[in-house]
Amino acid sequence: MVSVAYDGDEKTIVRRRFLISGIVQGVGFRPFVFRLACELGLSGWVRNIPAGVEMEVQGTAGALDAFQHAQAHDLPPLAVVTSSVVEDIPSIPERGFTILPSADGEKNIQVAPDSALCGDCLRELFDPADRRYRYPFITCTNCGPRYSIITAIPYDRPRTTMAGFPLCPDCQREYDDPLDRRFHAQPIACPACGPRLRLLDGAAEPVAERDDALTRAVELLRAGQILAVKGIGGYHLAVDACNPEAVRRLRERKKRDEKPFAVMAADLATARRLVVLENMEERLLTGPESPIVIARKAQNCPVSPLVAPANGWLGLMLPYAPIHHLLMRDHFQALVMTSGNVSDEPVAFEDNDALKRLSAIADYFLVHDRPIHIRSDDSVMRVFQGKPLFYRRARGYAPRAVRLPFKMPPLLAVGAELKGAVCLVQGEQAFLSQHIGDLQNSSTCDSFRHTIRHLSGILEITPQIVACDLHPDYLSSVHAAESGLPLTKVQHHHAHLAACMAENGLDGAVIGIIFDGTGLGTDGTIWGGEFLVGGYDGFRRAGNFLPVPLAGGDTAVREPWRMALAWLYRSLGKDAFDLDHPVARHLSDTEKGIFAAMLERGINAPLTSSCGRLFDAAAAVLDVRQAVSYDGQAAIELEALAEGAGVSGTYSFGIADGEPLVIDFTSLFTDLLADHAAGADTAAMAYRFHATVARAAVEACVRIAGQSGLDRVVLSGGVFQNRLLTEMVYTGLLDQGLQIFTHRLVPPNDGGIALGQAAIAGWQRGC
């Protein structure tokens, strides 16, 4: 904002023009301006333009200063201002303040994410005197669906999935009144003119409608039935979270053996009984984005242990759609609300597809006739260093822009293969899509292509460049290569480094500690425990974990004992197969011979420096997990075990000087076996393993900082979702006087990698 000086005469009439960019359309910004101007006795006008909002405001200098202050500090809940240009212009004879029709001009389109039900609508929802009492689609300018229902731009009702619901006279009056909080709220409706609920059985036959559907749905959930519930961005599968048998049936039918389920608590007071909440966690839970927040389970938590087995944490959210509040209030402490899909498939969002794909899981379907245009999973976060850290960025945040430190041409970055998300860029704005999923089946690939078409359409971005991962076989890379656009291939871990730089507004060169599971390196091996030096223009590999064989290739990702065997073979040679330890006990004599030959000769055993696989190996040696049923399970359970240790100390490791430095954990595994043989506490061993990896990372980084003269360090990669390890590395680097930058706006895992690809491609194309 510009501070306008005046000579102290409060009666002096001045006029100012404002050009506001950001998320300022469809979020109540114009009526906010209208009401504010009327309250302050100002004249002028406001209108939407393609770049945002334009207005001319006239009055006393003091009143205009108050107007500017309110704009900066009292915005509507869903509005986000990214730039504001203010200039003095000549005053004119004028009375009153008006909202003008939209105008043409240069475009700077930003789309509001879907938002949780606001407090005003929640009060009306349960007010018997209100005409929207118990109406499951109550909304206003300050809340409700946005991104998930937009079919085209400009954003108005005919270009949303509400087009098939003409407004009744009462809703039309609200829609047309600038003083009403439903002024130009495109999703508004009421029982007379809006969408309706239906309850269907597993054969898609009607059971009940409207409020009767809700009443019956509550009865079914209480009886332990599984319901598919259509929400804002897709379907959830719901059961009573305190009913172990219902949770067990859901796991069995969904084919999700052990991966934690998300839980929805009835309200904040109930959430406090389920988990231990810090201030930031409560702020996230109650914000308009309403993400899933990973918080520590409370003592005597009534949620079934089957919801998050072998895990001291619970992924928790609060009701964010009216239908959630109606299902839960006075009925349940908590419901499992997990994505409506079979494991590894995208969440169902179209009714016919949901009825087909979920019929083998759900006993009943609670559906409605408001179409969802674009699917969007729930966002998932946890708190680190008092600030939010994304695990999955989707509903509530996508497609909110990330401001880049430099301008770029229109381009598309397609991400990697796991935790897919795409990024569209224009100028200084990078628009990261919602989480798409793992691009390993046709339905997820269809969702990937649909997301690109939809997002580029509503943002009106026509890419001139496309960026992808260095791995040629990723389906995202294949799509990029087939696009016909100039192609920039970006090494996986370089993209992680650049993503963290971009969201922190960094330029120049930094040190990147990039710890993740898998990424193709420039030497053709599989990287994942990397220390890079560089920036958007390029990088060098300054250090890495010692590469060891990935015994059995990709199979080793699902069977951690294979990585343990590789490390033990390196530590002990053939004795690794003869000594008594958990991994050897897992194998028959025949299998021992096969794997000895595999490791000796390098058969189907590509080299990897992966940090993720290092954690897998430790989990197997400690007999925490020999095989996994979901990505990262071994590391998650190893971390959970370590958190309860209450010890100190580290194991041994080595760092070999050179270009690059090589961090060798061979002796670490010898120490682990010795402790195991001596009967040491497994939790203490798990803790010392974490402390050893962290100490090695800090020592290697300090050496690289000394050699390079750099003191800025970025931390990225999926392993930095591990709270304990991240805390140890972060604290250790700070103690060495280094500047540390972590992710806050995008996930450290592959869900944020498209942002890094985009930044590198834009920079290297000369922008």
Side-chain angles (χ1 to χ4, degrees):
M1 285 285 183
V2 175
S3 178
V4 181
Y6 58 95
D7 60 7
D9 183 358
E10 289 289 336
K11 303 299 183 183
T12 300
I13 299 299
V14 295
R15 188 177 185 86
R16 294 175 192 163
R17 176 183 289 123
F18 298 77
L19 296 175
I20 312 294
S21 296
I23 300 175
V24 289
Q25 295 187 15
V27 293
F29 192 85
R30 288 176 301 154
F32 159 73
V33 167
F34 179 89
R35 291 191 293 269
L36 183 60
C38 293
E39 289 172 7
L40 294 172
L42 299 168
S43 64
W45 52 263
V46 61
R47 65 182 177 182
N48 282 341
I49 59 174
V53 167
E54 179 185 21
M55 53 189 153
E56 292 187 7
V57 187
Q58 182 169 298
T60 66
L64 270 170
D65 284 349
F67 177 83
Q68 286 186 228
H69 183 272
Q71 275 195 70
H73 298 93
D74 301 312
L75 288 172
L78 305 187
V80 177
V81 172
T82 55
S83 71
S84 177
V85 178
V86 186
E87 62 174 334
D88 280 354
I89 58 176
S91 60
I92 61 174
E94 184 181 53
R95 293 175 64 86
F97 196 91
T98 58
I99 297 176
L100 297 179
S102 299
D104 295 329
E106 183 179 347
K107 293 180 173 62
N108 182 15
I109 298 164
Q110 297 195 41
V111 177
D114 300 314
S115 177
L117 192 69
C118 70
D120 290 331
C121 284
L122 182 59
R123 283 189 290 272
E124 292 173 352
L125 182 65
F126 291 101
D127 180 1
D130 193 275
R131 72 187 188 92
R132 292 186 175 88
Y133 174 59
R134 289 185 61 82
Y135 181 56
F137 307 96
I138 187 171
T139 184
C140 72
T141 310
N142 297 327
C143 66
R146 294 295 190 275
Y147 178 54
S148 62
I149 64 170
I150 296 172
T151 59
I153 55 121
Y155 172 57
D156 53 32
R157 196 176 182 93
R159 293 176 178 86
T160 72
T161 61
M162 292 298 293
F165 301 95
L167 294 172
C168 68
D170 288 334
C171 286
Q172 190 69 54
R173 277 192 294 273
E174 294 170 330
Y175 184 87
D176 293 335
D177 183 358
L179 295 179
D180 194 287
R181 81 172 198 279
R182 292 188 169 93
F183 175 70
H184 280 207
Q186 310 305 342
I188 71 163
C190 74
C193 65
R196 301 178 182 183
L197 275 185
R198 289 189 303 155
L199 181 68
L200 310 177
D201 64 18
E205 294 296 323
V207 175
E209 293 188 352
R210 300 202 177 197
D211 206 51
D212 289 341
L214 278 166
T215 301
R216 182 73 176 122
V218 169
E219 293 172 353
L220 291 166
L221 287 167
R222 281 177 168 169
Q225 298 291 287
I226 301 170
L227 262 66
V229 180
K230 185 179 179 182
I232 289 179
Y235 278 78
H236 285 110
L237 290 165
V239 296
D240 183 351
C242 301
N243 183 332
E245 178 58 24
V247 177
R248 185 197 63 76
R249 288 175 60 242
L250 178 58
R251 284 205 175 279
E252 184 179 275
R253 292 187 186 180
K254 191 173 160 70
K255 298 180 174 59
R256 185 163 165 172
D257 296 337
E258 296 165 303
K259 187 176 182 180
F261 285 137
V263 168
M264 182 175 283
D267 49 38
L268 184 60
T270 304
R272 289 171 177 150
R273 294 196 294 271
L274 305 183
V275 294
V276 179
L277 290 173
E278 300 174 357
N279 179 59
M280 176 55 72
E281 291 166 336
E282 292 197 1
R283 286 175 57 188
L284 291 171
L285 283 172
T286 56
E289 299 87 357
S290 193
I292 296 168
V293 176
I294 298 173
R296 193 179 296 279
K297 289 179 184 176
Q299 283 190 346
N300 302 316
C301 174
V303 169
S304 167
L306 293 175
V307 169
N311 199 319
W313 299 76
L314 199 62
L316 191 81
M317 58 181 158
L318 296 182
Y320 58 83
I323 193 172
H324 300 150
H325 289 280
L326 292 166
L327 280 174
M328 298 198 69
R329 178 170 284 200
D330 301 325
H331 301 303
F332 302 98
Q333 291 189 77
L335 291 175
V336 167
M337 280 283 189
T338 187
S339 298
N341 59 3
V342 180
S343 293
D344 299 326
E345 291 184 355
V347 62
F349 73 107
E350 296 174 317
D351 297 336
N352 289 338
D353 178 58
L355 289 166
K356 179 181 178 182
R357 285 204 284 138
L358 303 182
S359 61
I361 304 175
D363 298 305
Y364 292 86
F365 291 76
L366 188 60
V367 304
H368 57 75
D369 55 353
R370 181 181 68 201
I372 299 169
H373 186 66
I374 191 79
R375 63 163 57 93
S376 190
D377 270 304
D378 297 309
S379 294
V380 182
M381 313 179 82
R382 83 183 309 166
V383 172
F384 174 71
Q385 293 286 322
K387 296 179 181 178
L389 177 69
F390 278 103
Y391 280 28
R392 184 169 74 199
R393 187 180 187 270
R395 180 194 50 77
Y397 297 92
R400 191 179 293 170
V402 175
R403 181 172 288 276
L404 298 169
F406 52 90
K407 289 186 176 181
M408 296 166 55
L411 65 82
L412 166 69
V414 295
E417 183 170 61
L418 303 181
K419 299 173 178 62
V422 302
C423 184
L424 281 156
V425 176
Q426 187 154 269
E428 295 178 338
Q429 303 289 341
F431 300 91
L432 199 70
S433 78
Q434 76 280 13
H435 167 84
I436 297 169
D438 296 347
L439 302 182
Q440 296 178 322
N441 59 62
S442 60
S443 54
T444 311
C445 289
D446 289 343
S447 178
F448 166 79
R449 296 184 186 97
H450 179 212
T451 299
I452 293 172
R453 290 193 301 270
H454 177 65
L455 197 57
S456 58
I458 63 172
L459 296 174
E460 292 197 342
I461 295 176
T462 303
Q464 299 173 1
I465 302 164
V466 63
C468 69
D469 194 270
L470 191 63
H471 199 303
D473 296 332
Y474 286 172
L475 292 177
S476 55
S477 299
V478 172
H479 176 88
E482 292 175 349
S483 70
L485 295 172
L487 181 63
T488 298
K489 295 183 178 181
V490 180
Q491 198 279 325
H492 191 89
H493 304 94
H494 186 201
H496 273 302
L497 176 146
C500 194
M501 288 182 66
E503 73 160 85
N504 283 287
L506 303 179
D507 56 13
V510 300
I511 300 169
I513 303 180
I514 317 298
F515 288 172
D516 75 345
T518 300
L520 180 63
T522 55
D523 61 358
T525 65
I526 301 166
W527 292 6
E530 309 305 316
F531 298 79
L532 308 182
V533 170
Y536 308 115
D537 56 344
F539 75 96
R540 65 180 176 87
R541 195 184 191 193
N544 58 266
F545 289 177
L546 177 75
V548 295
L550 189 67
D554 289 343
T555 305
V557 177
R558 300 184 296 275
E559 298 179 348
W561 61 265
R562 293 171 178 263
M563 287 308 304
L565 206 57
W567 274 107
L568 293 175
Y569 180 76
R570 174 165 181 83
S571 302
L572 305 169
K574 291 185 178 180
D575 288 346
F577 297 94
D578 299 325
L579 295 175
D580 182 31
H581 55 77
V583 181
R585 293 178 210 137
H586 187 76
L587 301 174
S588 67
D589 290 341
T590 301
E591 288 173 324
K592 290 177 182 178
I594 291 171
F595 284 99
M598 179 184 291
L599 293 170
E600 220 171 89
R601 302 171 190 171
I603 302 169
N604 192 24
L607 292 176
T608 182
S609 60
S610 169
C611 185
R613 303 292 78 80
L614 179 76
F615 272 75
D616 287 350
V621 169
L622 299 186
D623 209 17
V624 173
R625 178 64 55 178
Q626 300 295 339
V628 302
S629 61
Y630 64 89
D631 181 44
Q633 182 180 10
I636 289 169
E637 294 181 3
L638 189 68
E639 178 190 9
L641 184 64
E643 286 185 319
V647 298
S648 59
T650 60
Y651 293 118
S652 58
F653 62 91
I655 299 180
D657 287 324
E659 185 63 36
L661 298 175
V662 176
I663 299 91
D664 186 351
F665 292 108
T666 302
S667 58
L668 161 64
F669 284 90
T670 307
D671 293 345
L672 282 174
L673 280 187
D675 261 8
H676 184 271
D681 178 64
T682 306
M685 295 165 68
Y687 179 90
R688 291 189 182 106
F689 168 79
H690 280 75
T692 304
V693 176
R695 181 182 162 198
V698 171
E699 288 192 15
C701 188
V702 168
R703 291 195 196 185
I704 293 167
Q707 294 165 0
S708 65
L710 300 172
D711 67 350
R712 298 182 301 170
V713 183
V714 301
L715 307 181
S716 189
V719 174
F720 282 116
Q721 292 176 163
N722 182 310
R723 187 202 62 81
L724 180 61
L725 177 74
T726 308
E727 186 77 42
M728 290 174 168
V729 173
Y730 188 95
T731 303
L733 293 171
L734 279 182
D735 289 345
Q736 296 296 322
L738 298 170
Q739 299 181 65
I740 318 304
F741 298 90
T742 60
H743 287 279
R744 293 287 179 263
L745 304 179
V746 303
N749 60 40
D750 285 5
I753 207 167
L755 176 64
Q757 292 173 345
I760 290 166
W763 183 276
Q764 293 185 357
R765 292 282 173 169
C767 302

